[in-house]
């Protein structure tokens, strides 16, 4: 199986309903921490991973990813990141969303879609990101005291 996806495969994976099927509750990562949560499609034919990564230094710098097939980053939300330069030279500043693009993987970043505009805190961003990823049965992620 190739790690390179066609645009058709990308759309298929993005639109699949994803579910957390476990019962474990998770703690939001502490500074420098990372959390990886296994997800599966409704038909159980595809596996996904929800990654939550927190910066070592900045409380507000966080990354959320939705991976498919173990290593393919379908979506990545970068919060309070450094500016990002896309392969075409365009620079995206501020919070942004990476979306897998045929031939480029996750190298392209885009300004946040309107679904994220009214987010007030990290928990809002995480909830909206899971919705954007089509995660229907969501894992329970308990807040860290210093979010």
């Amino acid at each position: 199986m190739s790690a390179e996806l066609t645009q058709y495969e990308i759309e298929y994976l993005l639109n699949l309903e994803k579910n957390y099927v476990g019962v474990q509750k998770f703690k939001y990562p502490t500074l420098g921490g990372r959390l990886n949560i296994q997800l599966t499609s409704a038909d159980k034919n595809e596996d996904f991973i929800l990654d939550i990564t927190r910066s070592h230094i900045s409380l507000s710098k966080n990354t959320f990813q939705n991976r498919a097939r173990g290593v393919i980053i379908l979506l990545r939300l970068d919060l309070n990141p450094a500016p990002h330069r896309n392969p075409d030279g365009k620079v995206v500043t501020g919070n942004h969303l990476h979306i897998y693009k045929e031939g480029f993987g996750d190298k392209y970043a885009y300004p946040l879609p309107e679904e994220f505009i009214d987010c007030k805190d990290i928990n809002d961003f995480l909830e909206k990101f899971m919705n954007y990823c089509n995660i229907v049965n969501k894992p329970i992620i308990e807040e860290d005291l210093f979010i």
Side-chain angles (χ1 to χ4, degrees), residues 36-59:
N36 308 103
I37 301 171
Q38 300 294 319
L39 307 169
T40 190
S41 60
D43 63 8
K44 305 216 185 324
N45 288 331
E46 292 284 349
D47 292 319
F48 299 90
I49 302 168
L50 172 65
D51 299 313
I52 302 170
T53 307
R54 194 151 175 210
S55 169
H56 290 279
I57 298 169
S58 173
L59 286 174

Side-chain angles (χ1 to χ4, degrees), residues 96-116:
H96 55 262
L97 184 68
H98 291 256
I99 303 172
Y100 190 102
K101 183 176 183 177
E102 184 176 359
F104 294 95
D106 66 335
K107 294 189 179 1
Y108 269 89
Y110 304 89
L112 290 185
E114 67 181 49
E115 289 93 333
F116 295 95

Side-chain angles (χ1 to χ4, degrees), residues 71-102:
V71 297
I72 300 168
I73 300 169
L74 295 174
L75 295 167
R76 183 175 81 231
L77 177 62
D78 290 330
L79 301 174
N80 300 303
H84 176 84
R85 183 176 303 279
N86 284 332
D88 63 3
K90 182 180 177 190
V91 176
V92 179
T93 59
N95 296 338
H96 55 262
L97 184 68
H98 291 256
I99 303 172
Y100 190 102
K101 183 176 183 177
E102 184 176 359

